[in-house]
Amino acid sequence: LFLAPQSVAFVGIPRKSGPGALNPVDNLRNWGYEGRIQLVHPQAREVAGIRTVNDVALLEPPIDLAVISTPRETIPAIVGDCGRKGVRALIVTNQGFAEADSRGAELQQAMLEEAGKSGARVLGPNTLGVYNAFDRFTSSFMPHDRTEAPVGLVCQSGVFFVGARILTGDVGLGVDIANACDIDLTDALQWLGNDNRISVIAGHAEALSGGERFLRATAEIAGRKPIVFLKTGRSPEGARAAASHSGSMTGEDRVADAVLRKAGVIRVDETQEMFEMIRAFMRLPPMRGRATAVVTLTGAGGIILADAMETYGLKIAGMSDSSLRRIRAMSPEWMPINNPIDIWPATMKHGMRNVYRMVLEDALRDPGVNAAICVALGLRPSEAERLGVVDLIQELSVQYDKPILVWLYGPEAAEAAAALERRGRSMAVHSLERAVRILSRMASYHQWKIRNVVSNR
Amino acid sequence: LFLAPQSVAFVGIPRKSGPGALNPVDNLRNWGYEGRIQLVHPQAREVAGIRTVNDVALLEPPIDLAVISTPRETIPAIVGDCGRKGVRALIVTNQGFAEADSRGAELQQAMLEEAGKSGARVLGPNTLGVYNAFDRFTSSFMPHDRTEAPVGLVCQSGVFFVGARILTGDVGLGVDIANACDIDLTDALQWLGNDNRISVIAGHAEALSGGERFLRATAEIAGRKPIVFLKTGRSPEGARAAASHSGSMTGEDRVADAVLRKAGVIRVDETQEMFEMIRAFMRLPPMRGRATAVVTLTGAGGIILADAMETYGLKIAGMSDSSLRRIRAMSPEWMPINNPIDIWPATMKHGMRNVYRMVLEDALRDPGVNAAICVALGLRPSEAERLGVVDLIQELSVQYDKPILVWLYGPEAAEAAAALERRGRSMAVHSLERAVRILSRMASYHQWKIRNVVSNR
């Protein structure tokens, strides 16, 4: 009912519509919503070309979902009215409840009691509600693009709805639990967990409520699809701010950390990492261990990778003996052949594409290697013909079931990165350090899955 | 002589030229180098349309700089020949010296002795040499774009030359010290320090050699322009790899850390941070303390900022009393007015642009505030008219001498970020956490400068 209502009523809505008016009806029209829309407005006869009524009592059932946005004092009564109309799903967008003051807390409680009488469920208050790109429904007054991406989002702030493009990448299904007075983090995770159109879940919360229920439900979902999670309010200042944002008790950060780890959730440290990890889980095959081969054209790059592997706990996979022998034969006799080995001198003598393919394919074939990090040149087309390896990596990325991350450098690095991702399963990264962090998190998730999902059967 | 030779000789050069041939003469032509070019090749009569000679002895003086790229065994003799021709600056690009094996170390020593006889200085070996966009000179065989950016680069690997676009942003003057057998990190830093076309220096090294001399010279430069530095080889694996990359002894990382801190160098943890910090120093006014105002449209953003400020050691600057009073009057009566305050409810009642300008200008005027982090919407033009603040931030960024970092979210965040940076002095960031890290590093640098530059006068 929340995510794909056939019939929706907005109680309280801007009088104006069109660009800049932030009218949710405009957003539904732009998305091509095909259900029935009814509107309640105290004065207007018509909003956005739809006739309005001035009282919930005048709405025509059946109504699957009501989106309520009226002054806070009026809300408990409206919730009661909706219940009597048979509405079983309510989204309350207003601020001014438990996050605000003691009167707000009372009103939140009163609203819940009213909902309880009819058995209606409440999402919010203080929420943008939901969006569902697949079924063309959104309750949000903020405009955003509709993309049927297999990413589900649970968040405790509208910033993730509006800023999806920069925070998580495109999202297909989103739920803003906000104050979470009734529908909570666990409920929303279960909606996304049970939806087969969703293959990766992005989560944000200021508090992890629900204790044992949260842990059990989340672990069950994490066994089927990765959950990438940003838990905020970790600092004292942040915790104080969270109390007046969503009314959340953030709790001790190391407790949250332990719970998330136990539940198999991939906790990220910052928003940028969230974006990266979601992309990684969408594009890449599983990372089944910590041994990572490095194919580099630069010794300095190998050193940066070695440093990052120590920080994030990956191992450099040694090359196979046959590969080492072949590279040794191709390299100048003076060259020390250690891992991570710089193949540049060999490529200059025997051709970039030959040497690159040999080394990368050898690594991917090796059962002791779980993933590869590749350094490659992003050059102008004229030079790329001789020195480019983008197509070669694309080809190997579909032949072998191991993650390949590629750092491209050179005058056309950005163009080469975009070209790389147009085919195959490898992923371009902005920096070598990021590649290592991504693989390390993926390895931890896989380890958890093996231990937990297998042991529970 | 190294950076802007009037006359250059290449000793050893590819026979082919054109796309993919990696011939340095092509790069000089593409850049419009106006000095004289002479070439030595054992067989060819002509390379890239230039008549060659087959012996250094046949070159015509005066030659400011020789770029040597011949098999390693031949190099000491060629260095001697060049010295006798009066060449005082030599770049040796070959690998296979101290970084390789004991024979390589002997050859490096022999080459140095030959150079010593004539007083010639050697850059390298194992280097791409130099590039100087201002004077249209490069010794590198790898193609790159020429941009007269006020950024100088010292590095210990060619990857920084080729990958400048992704590692540091555009660079005007670059020096690859590589094995640093003669010209070392300190020399190269001094070249850049004394060049008035350079206002920010990017550094990369695997070893900090030179002890007291390095410390003194670097601190002197850092007093005049910021040095952003990536020191690699911090892990045991990385250190081992560095020995066979540039022949460097990386040393204990905490020693390096202490030296860099004492010298006023801004040490970065990863390549991506290098890129960010250089941009920040180029665009922003100095960060004179740690008190940072936050102007946010989202409570969740405020919490993320508060967490990051604890991690990186910034303080949230409280709003002035007058600002607080005004915001309180504009906000719903139930709203708790704490820092970082979410101005969204006030903007919905009183207009985005009015409220935003008031709060931001008030913060910038406040002598207790050192910088501002702004959260703003990146919307489509139709909505941006009512809700966009990009032009307003641009305007204030030139009126006030304090850094302003802006995180833009929404469907057109990337476009809005690009538009923001086209005018004014503010800077767009990919994430709020990055904004905090940037300001924290800038504050540390300013603190060092006050303490050291003032006390030395």
Side-chain angles (χ1 to χ4, degrees):
Chain A
L1 295 185
F2 279 98
L3 285 171
Q6 301 281 311
S7 158
V8 59
F10 287 88
V11 184
I13 191 135
R15 205 160 181 159
K16 284 192 211 162
S17 68
L22 304 186
N23 191 319
V25 176
D26 291 331
N27 298 334
L28 285 176
R29 290 238 171 92
N30 291 336
W31 276 26
Y33 175 63
E34 289 177 342
R36 183 174 182 196
I37 304 174
Q38 296 183 71
L39 305 178
V40 180
H41 193 285
Q43 291 102 28
R45 284 285 177 87
E46 188 191 292
V47 167
I50 296 176
R51 237 170 52 94
T52 65
V53 294
N54 64 11
D55 194 319
V56 172
L58 301 174
L59 292 168
E60 281 177 29
I63 298 161
D64 289 340
L65 170 71
V67 181
I68 305 171
S69 180
T70 57
R72 67 175 185 168
E73 295 288 343
T74 65
I75 288 190
I78 290 174
V79 165
D81 293 345
C82 288
R84 281 182 289 277
K85 276 276 165 188
V87 190
R88 290 294 165 268
L90 306 170
I91 292 175
V92 180
T93 64
N94 292 60
Q95 297 179 286
F97 290 92
E99 85 284 7
D101 57 4
S102 59
R103 177 65 188 150
E106 280 168 34
L107 286 166
Q108 187 166 312
Q109 190 52 39
M111 162 175 83
L112 267 179
E113 279 163 22
E114 283 295 334
K117 289 180 191 164
S118 62
R121 301 293 309 268
V122 179
L123 176 63
N126 188 11
T127 179
L128 288 181
V130 301
Y131 70 96
N132 176 348
F134 304 101
D135 299 308
R136 299 173 180 272
F137 178 73
T138 173
S139 65
S140 166
F141 60 83
M142 290 298 290
H144 41 93
D145 296 332
R146 196 182 70 81
T147 317
E148 298 184 10
V151 177
L153 166 74
V154 188
C155 56
Q156 209 164 359
S157 162
V159 72
F160 286 86
F161 273 35
V162 185
R165 185 139 292 177
I166 193 167
L167 288 166
T168 54
D170 289 328
V171 167
L173 280 180
V175 183
D176 174 7
I177 58 169
N179 285 16
C181 78
D182 176 17
I183 301 289
D184 68 2
L185 184 56
T186 309
D187 295 318
L189 284 170
Q190 283 175 323
W191 293 351
L192 301 174
N194 295 332
D195 194 309
N196 288 329
R197 298 168 297 190
I198 297 305
S199 59
V200 182
I201 296 176
H204 156 262
E206 285 148 16
L208 304 180
S209 53
E212 192 56 34
R213 176 173 159 263
F214 170 77
L215 182 58
R216 243 199 332 261
T218 309
E220 191 277 320
I221 299 164
R224 291 181 287 117
K225 43 187 109 173
I227 305 173
V228 177
F229 207 93
L230 183 72
K231 163 75 178 71
T232 62
R234 45 171 81 189
S235 65
E237 277 288 324
R240 211 177 44 70
S244 59
H245 173 244
S246 58
S248 295
M249 302 297 294
T250 52
E252 274 207 60
D253 197 62
R254 61 198 168 77
V255 175
D257 212 65
V259 169
L260 292 173
R261 187 166 309 137
K262 201 168 168 201
V265 168
I266 302 106
R267 183 174 186 177
V268 293
D269 291 330
E270 45 170 23
T271 46
Q272 236 182 331
E273 194 186 355
M274 181 157 214
F275 188 93
E276 277 168 10
M277 289 311 305
I278 290 165
R279 258 168 47 87
F281 280 113
M282 295 204 353
R283 283 198 74 88
L284 300 171
M287 173 72 175
R288 299 189 172 81
R290 298 194 163 266
T292 305
V294 168
V295 184
T296 179
L297 306 174
T298 146
I303 297 161
I304 291 170
L305 282 170
D307 285 351
M309 288 198 188
E310 169 144 311
T311 304
Y312 294 108
L314 285 190
K315 285 200 311 274
I316 296 182
M319 286 198 201
S320 70
D321 284 346
S322 77
S323 212
L324 275 179
R325 256 195 313 274
R326 284 195 283 175
I327 282 288
R328 197 170 280 138
M330 287 177 163
S331 300
E333 32 85 32
W334 45 257
M335 191 160 169
I337 304 291
N338 302 318
N339 284 301
I341 187 185
D342 175 4
I343 63 170
W344 180 261
T347 67
M348 287 295 97
K349 267 175 91 175
H350 299 270
M352 175 66 76
R353 298 174 58 87
N354 295 336
V355 176
Y356 212 101
R357 174 186 288 276
M358 185 199 89
V359 174
L360 179 55
E361 191 153 21
D362 226 61
L364 293 171
R365 247 192 232 124
D366 185 337
V369 170
N370 304 114
I373 297 179
C374 294
V375 174
L377 287 162
L379 296 172
R380 299 186 198 89
S382 53
E383 288 124 8
E385 213 170 294
R386 190 180 143 208
L387 297 170
V389 291
V390 161
D391 55 338
L392 192 156
I393 294 173
Q394 286 172 328
E395 184 193 324
L396 296 179
S397 75
V398 287
Q399 273 176 47
Y400 295 89
D401 192 35
K402 296 176 182 180
I404 304 177
L405 293 176
V406 188
W407 182 66
L408 288 148
Y409 68 112
E412 303 212 347
E415 294 81 351
L420 179 85
E421 296 200 346
R422 275 197 286 274
R423 278 182 39 218
R425 302 176 73 186
S426 64
M427 172 171 160
V429 287
H430 279 294
S431 79
L432 292 170
E433 296 94 332
R434 291 289 149 265
V436 173
R437 187 167 73 174
I438 288 168
L439 289 177
S440 169
R441 304 270 196 244
M442 288 181 71
S444 301
Y445 173 59
H446 189 78
Q447 253 172 333
W448 175 89
K449 222 165 129 173
I450 294 295
R451 250 197 337 264
N452 286 268
V453 180
V454 172
S455 69
N456 289 340
R457 276 178 189 164
Chain B
L1 295 184
F2 279 98
L3 286 170
Q6 301 281 311
S7 158
V8 59
F10 288 88
V11 184
I13 190 136
R15 205 162 180 158
K16 285 192 210 160
S17 67
L22 303 187
N23 192 318
V25 176
D26 291 331
N27 298 333
L28 285 177
R29 290 240 171 92
N30 290 336
W31 276 27
Y33 175 63
E34 290 177 342
R36 183 174 183 195
I37 305 174
Q38 296 182 73
L39 306 178
V40 179
H41 193 284
Q43 292 101 29
R45 286 285 178 85
E46 186 192 292
V47 167
I50 297 176
R51 236 170 53 91
T52 66
V53 295
N54 64 11
D55 195 319
V56 172
L58 301 173
L59 291 169
E60 282 177 29
I63 299 163
D64 289 339
L65 170 71
V67 181
I68 305 170
S69 180
T70 57
R72 66 175 185 169
E73 295 287 343
T74 66
I75 288 190
I78 290 175
V79 165
D81 293 345
C82 288
R84 281 182 289 278
K85 276 277 166 187
V87 190
R88 291 293 166 268
L90 306 169
I91 293 176
V92 180
T93 65
N94 292 62
Q95 297 178 284
F97 290 91
E99 84 285 6
D101 58 3
S102 59
R103 176 65 187 148
E106 281 168 35
L107 287 165
Q108 186 166 311
Q109 190 52 39
M111 163 176 83
L112 265 179
E113 280 163 20
E114 284 295 335
K117 289 180 191 164
S118 62
R121 302 292 309 268
V122 179
L123 177 62
N126 187 12
T127 179
L128 288 182
V130 300
Y131 70 97
N132 176 348
F134 303 101
D135 299 308
R136 298 173 179 273
F137 178 73
T138 173
S139 65
S140 166
F141 60 83
M142 291 298 291
H144 41 93
D145 296 331
R146 195 183 69 81
T147 315
E148 297 184 10
V151 177
L153 167 73
V154 188
C155 57
Q156 209 164 0
S157 163
V159 72
F160 287 86
F161 274 34
V162 185
R165 187 138 291 176
I166 192 167
L167 288 166
T168 54
D170 289 329
V171 166
L173 280 181
V175 183
D176 175 6
I177 59 170
N179 285 17
C181 79
D182 177 16
I183 302 289
D184 68 2
L185 185 55
T186 309
D187 295 318
L189 283 170
Q190 282 175 322
W191 293 350
L192 301 175
N194 295 331
D195 195 311
N196 289 328
R197 297 168 297 190
I198 297 304
S199 59
V200 182
I201 297 175
H204 157 261
E206 284 148 17
L208 304 180
S209 53
E212 192 56 34
R213 176 174 159 261
F214 170 77
L215 183 59
R216 243 198 334 260
T218 309
E220 191 277 320
I221 298 164
R224 290 181 287 116
K225 42 187 111 175
I227 305 173
V228 177
F229 207 93
L230 183 73
K231 164 74 177 71
T232 62
R234 46 170 79 188
S235 65
E237 278 289 324
R240 213 177 43 72
S244 59
H245 173 244
S246 58
S248 294
M249 303 299 293
T250 51
E252 275 208 59
D253 196 63
R254 62 198 167 78
V255 175
D257 212 65
V259 168
L260 292 173
R261 186 165 310 138
K262 201 168 167 200
V265 168
I266 301 105
R267 183 175 187 177
V268 293
D269 291 331
E270 45 170 24
T271 46
Q272 237 182 331
E273 194 185 356
M274 182 158 213
F275 189 93
E276 278 169 8
M277 288 312 306
I278 290 165
R279 260 169 44 89
F281 280 114
M282 295 207 348
R283 284 197 74 90
L284 300 171
M287 173 73 176
R288 298 189 173 82
R290 298 196 162 266
T292 305
V294 168
V295 183
T296 180
L297 305 174
T298 145
I303 297 161
I304 291 170
L305 282 170
D307 286 351
M309 288 197 187
E310 170 144 310
T311 304
Y312 293 108
L314 284 191
K315 286 201 310 276
I316 296 182
M319 286 199 201
S320 71
D321 285 345
S322 77
S323 214
L324 274 179
R325 257 197 310 275
R326 283 195 282 175
I327 283 289
R328 195 169 281 138
M330 288 175 163
S331 300
E333 31 85 31
W334 45 259
M335 192 161 169
I337 304 293
N338 301 319
N339 284 302
I341 186 185
D342 176 3
I343 63 170
W344 180 261
T347 66
M348 286 295 98
K349 266 175 91 175
H350 299 271
M352 175 66 76
R353 297 174 60 86
N354 296 337
V355 175
Y356 212 101
R357 175 186 288 275
M358 185 199 89
V359 174
L360 179 54
E361 192 154 22
D362 226 60
L364 294 171
R365 246 191 234 126
D366 186 337
V369 170
N370 303 115
I373 297 180
C374 294
V375 173
L377 288 162
L379 296 171
R380 298 186 198 90
S382 53
E383 289 125 9
E385 213 170 294
R386 189 179 144 208
L387 297 171
V389 292
V390 161
D391 55 338
L392 191 157
I393 293 172
Q394 287 173 326
E395 184 193 324
L396 296 179
S397 76
V398 287
Q399 273 176 46
Y400 295 90
D401 192 35
K402 297 177 181 179
I404 305 177
L405 293 176
V406 188
W407 182 67
L408 288 148
Y409 69 111
E412 303 213 346
E415 294 81 352
L420 179 84
E421 296 200 347
R422 276 197 285 274
R423 279 182 39 220
R425 304 176 74 187
S426 63
M427 172 172 160
V429 287
H430 278 295
S431 78
L432 292 170
E433 296 93 332
R434 291 288 149 266
V436 172
R437 187 167 73 174
I438 288 168
L439 288 177
S440 168
R441 304 270 196 243
M442 288 181 72
S444 302
Y445 173 59
H446 189 79
Q447 252 172 336
W448 174 88
K449 224 164 128 174
I450 294 295
R451 249 195 340 261
N452 286 268
V453 179
V454 172
S455 69
N456 289 341
R457 277 179 189 163

